[in-house]
């Protein structure tokens, strides 16, 4: 059985925690690995390493930081197929969906490569007699990212490149259901020349999340997940003086008017409903059809829904993979 470890100070590490969780392939139900869960000691050690790494990384020139980012972008682009296979094996989405999310992540890396321009401060001369005003930007220190199961590559890449480009150290706590892509990203950061401790991966459950929210040396938290958890993270972390961005669940709606191209509308509704196995906050779960559009649109969407091929996401003709777990299936 494969054992998935943490990634601490530039290398895989078992940590001292004894707890584990199984990792499943949702298309087959088979257990593919056992994931090590961190304990409080592992958390404290990882944060201490990140704090020390942030102090030196924040003093490195922007030119050297962006050189690492450009190399990281090159490596991610070269490993799209491998990353997509890992995503499909643990999330279930079809390969093309997995490649699509990696493409969105690459866009953020590319944006972060322009950080020297984005970090420019301002200077105003003689705003009052004998008084000039200037502003500059500096790192906050240690940033933690708590990410969901539905986009194992894209959401971490929303967070880490920007945090690292701006001179911070980053600790990723991915969903326990989809840990492997995070580990490959950590190795790619290492290969890109990122100093040890600037990007680390810590697997865990509520104990680790609670520890990140309350640890005095974690300066900022970025979260994507359900709305109740987002509210909890916002309340707890702000009470402990941290900067927070907490993105909760969302629902998209579509309005289809009588003069719309109903075939085109039905195509997009089906793609929005069944892409990523419907497990994304940008899925269109409600369509409002106005007037004469209603009955015909329902028929066209029905035809497309019945044509969807639900298979193992690695199969070439699969339109939709399985949902992530038996619990998700039963809930739906």
């Amino acid at each position: 059985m494969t054992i998935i470890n943490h990634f601490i100070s530039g290398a895989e590490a078992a940590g001292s925690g004894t707890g584990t969780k199984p990792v499943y392939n949702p298309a087959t139900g088979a257990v593919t690995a056992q994931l090590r869960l961190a304990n409080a000691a592992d958390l404290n050690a990882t944060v201490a390493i990140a704090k020390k790494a942030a102090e030196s990384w924040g003093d490195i020139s922007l030119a050297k930081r962006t050189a690492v980012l450009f190399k990281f972008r090159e490596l991610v682009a070269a490993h799209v197929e491998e990353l997509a296979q890992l995503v499909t094996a643990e999330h279930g989405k079809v390969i093309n969906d997995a490649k699509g999310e990696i493409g969105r992540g690459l866009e953020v890396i590319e944006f972060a490569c322009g950080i020297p321009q984005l970090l420019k401060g301002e200077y105003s001369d003689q705003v009052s007699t004998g008084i000039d005003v200037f502003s500059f930007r500096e790192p906050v220190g240690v940033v933690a990212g708590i990410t969901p199961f539905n986009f194992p590559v894209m959401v971490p890449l929303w967070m880490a490149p920007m945090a690292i480009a701006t001179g911070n150290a980053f600790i990723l706590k991915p969903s326990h259901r989809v840990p492997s892509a995070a580990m490959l990203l950590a190795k790619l950061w290492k290969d890109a020349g990122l100093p040890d401790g600037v990007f680390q991966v810590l697997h865990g459950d509520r104990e680790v999340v609670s520890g990140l929210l309350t640890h005095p040396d974690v300066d900022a938290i970025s979260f994507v997940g359900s709305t109740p958890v987002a509210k909890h993270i916002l309340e707890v972390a702000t009470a402990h003086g941290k900067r927070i961005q907490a993105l909760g669940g969302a629902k998209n709606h579509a309005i289809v008017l009588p003069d719309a191209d109903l075939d085109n509308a039905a195509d997009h509704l089906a793609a929005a409903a069944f892409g990523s196995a419907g497990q994304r906050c940008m899925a269109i779960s409600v369509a409002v059809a106005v007037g004469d559009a209603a009955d015909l649109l329902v028929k066209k969407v029905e035809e497309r829904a019945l044509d969807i091929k639900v298979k193992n996401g690695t199969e070439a003709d699969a339109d939709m993979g399985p949902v992530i777990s038996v619990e998700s299936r039963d809930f739906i």
Side-chain angles (χ1 to χ4, degrees), residues 12 43 58 65 86 110 116 121 135 159 172 179 195 214 219 233 255 266 283-284 304-305 323 329:
E12 288 192 29
L43 171 66
R65 283 190 226 159
L86 292 174
E110 290 161 2
S135 65
M159 303 174 183
L172 174 61
T214 59
D219 301 288
I233 284 177
I255 299 175
I284 294 178
R304 286 155 177 78
V323 293
R329 181 202 64 193

Side-chain angles (χ1 to χ4, degrees), residues 12-37:
E12 288 192 29
S16 58
T18 57
T20 62
K21 276 186 179 291
V23 178
Y24 295 92
N25 182 329
T28 65
V31 176
T32 57
Q34 291 290 333
L35 177 69
R36 294 191 192 275
L37 303 180

Side-chain angles (χ1 to χ4, degrees), residues 213-329:
L213 299 181
T214 59
H215 198 291
D217 290 331
V218 175
D219 301 288
I221 303 280
S222 186
F223 170 81
V224 175
S226 69
T227 299
V229 178
K231 289 180 177 177
H232 172 76
I233 284 177
L234 178 66
E235 292 167 0
V236 174
T238 52
H240 286 82
K242 305 188 189 312
R243 300 187 186 192
I244 307 298
Q245 56 181 24
L247 304 182
K251 291 292 181 183
N252 272 1
H253 296 69
I255 299 175
V256 183
L257 300 178
D259 62 346
D261 179 338
L262 295 186
D263 284 311
N264 184 54
D267 288 342
H268 284 285
L269 288 174
F274 302 114
S276 195
Q279 298 172 127
R280 57 185 177 196
C281 57
M282 300 301 287
I284 294 178
S285 53
V286 176
V288 178
V290 179
D292 295 339
D295 292 339
L296 185 55
L297 181 67
V298 168
K299 182 63 177 174
K300 289 181 179 293
V301 171
E302 178 188 14
E303 291 169 356
R304 286 155 177 78
L306 292 174
D307 284 341
I308 295 289
K309 297 182 182 68
V310 183
K311 293 186 172 185
N312 188 316
T314 60
E315 296 187 40
D317 62 341
D319 297 316
M320 176 179 171
V323 293
I324 188 74
S325 65
V326 171
E327 292 78 15
S328 290
R329 181 202 64 193

Side-chain angles (χ1 to χ4, degrees), residues 21 108 139 173 177 196 206 272 275 305 308:
K21 276 186 179 291
V108 180
K173 207 301 286 182
R177 295 189 175 99
D196 294 347
R206 291 182 179 180
I308 295 289

Side-chain angles (χ1 to χ4, degrees), residues 24-87:
Y24 295 92
N25 182 329
T28 65
V31 176
T32 57
Q34 291 290 333
L35 177 69
R36 294 191 192 275
L37 303 180
N39 59 17
D42 298 327
L43 171 66
N44 290 333
T46 302
V47 173
I49 291 167
K51 182 179 180 182
K52 184 176 181 180
E55 292 171 357
S56 56
W57 177 245
D59 287 334
I60 287 177
S61 72
L62 290 175
K64 291 182 178 178
R65 283 190 226 159
T66 52
V68 171
L69 284 160
F70 274 107
K71 182 62 177 177
F72 179 63
R73 190 264 172 213
E74 178 185 328
L75 289 170
V76 172
H79 287 79
V80 167
E81 186 67 37
E82 186 177 356
L83 283 164
Q85 291 288 342
L86 292 174
V87 170

